[in-house]
Amino acid sequence: MKSKFILTIVSFLAAFICFATPPVEEGKVIFTSRCASCHSVNKVLTGPALAGVHERRSIDWIVSFVQSSQALVKSGDKDAVALFEKFNKIPMPDHSDLSADHVKSIVEFIKSESATAGAEKPPFAKPASIRQNYTPLSIYNYGFFIGFLAVIGLLIAALLFAVQLKQYERSRLAKK
């Protein structure tokens, strides 16, 4: 009887481990649905880029900030106040419904994304100078404007010729 109970518990635990969402996947889902509108892993958007956030701040601070950033700002936390000031005093919405485990899974996702983003970049990903793919139109493009006016002139001449030809045909038909 005792061995059946232990076997049942072990099988339930094994099933839970097999089917539980890994923290990185759970973090990705939460990040894309809740954070991606203001944050990116590698780019500054409305909020800061989050790559390396686990190295700059403690996980407890991150959890507190995500759950209620304005509470940290009002408490006088220097890092929270500095972020608030740096990003034009735009408050981060409170996510008090996210548990500490949810925030930790988001941080795990950010760690994995920042590690893969740095590994995939080729050495030529950031060229020294970026050239435009087109030349913008300006008043100094004489060739373009002369050609444009020549085409307009030819169209007007063709229309005038067609009108004159039609008048000639009508006058010829009227004489008959």
Side-chain angles (χ1 to χ4, degrees):
M1 178 71 178
K2 209 175 199 184
S3 63
K4 286 183 182 180
F5 179 74
I6 292 174
L7 183 62
T8 306
I9 296 292
V10 169
S11 62
F12 275 121
L13 286 175
F16 180 74
I17 290 171
C18 290
F19 294 111
T21 306
V24 173
E25 291 301 317
E26 182 183 23
K28 179 180 181 180
V29 170
I30 297 170
F31 182 85
T32 54
S33 65
R34 299 264 205 64
C35 310
S37 61
C38 296
H39 296 280
S40 175
V41 175
N42 296 311
K43 283 195 264 183
V44 175
L45 300 175
T46 304
L50 298 176
V53 71
H54 61 283
E55 296 167 353
R56 296 188 300 268
R57 310 277 189 269
S58 71
I59 193 69
D60 295 330
W61 187 91
I62 295 170
V63 170
S64 298
F65 192 80
V66 168
Q67 289 177 341
S68 181
S69 65
Q70 289 304 299
L72 272 179
V73 170
K74 289 176 183 172
S75 73
D77 183 82
K78 62 179 173 130
D79 293 333
V81 171
L83 278 173
F84 186 64
E85 295 290 327
K86 182 177 180 181
F87 289 94
N88 300 323
K89 297 185 179 182
I90 298 173
M92 180 174 145
D94 291 343
H95 299 285
S96 55
D97 57 322
L98 291 179
S99 69
D101 291 334
H102 288 137
V103 176
K104 289 176 184 175
S105 64
I106 294 170
V107 171
E108 289 300 317
F109 167 70
I110 293 168
K111 282 182 194 178
S112 70
E113 280 297 301
S114 57
T116 57
E120 292 177 2
K121 286 186 180 177
F124 52 88
K126 198 170 191 181
S129 65
I130 298 175
R131 291 186 358 195
Q132 294 177 341
N133 292 336
Y134 65 94
T135 304
L137 188 62
S138 72
I139 61 170
Y140 300 109
N141 294 4
Y142 300 117
F144 173 78
F145 287 114
I146 290 172
F148 181 75
L149 291 175
V151 167
I152 297 293
L154 284 173
L155 286 173
I156 291 172
L159 288 173
L160 288 174
F161 179 74
V163 168
Q164 291 297 325
L165 185 62
K166 193 65 170 174
Q167 284 179 350
Y168 176 73
E169 286 179 3
R170 286 184 185 156
S171 68
R172 211 164 157 218
L173 286 175
K175 289 182 184 177
K176 287 185 180 183

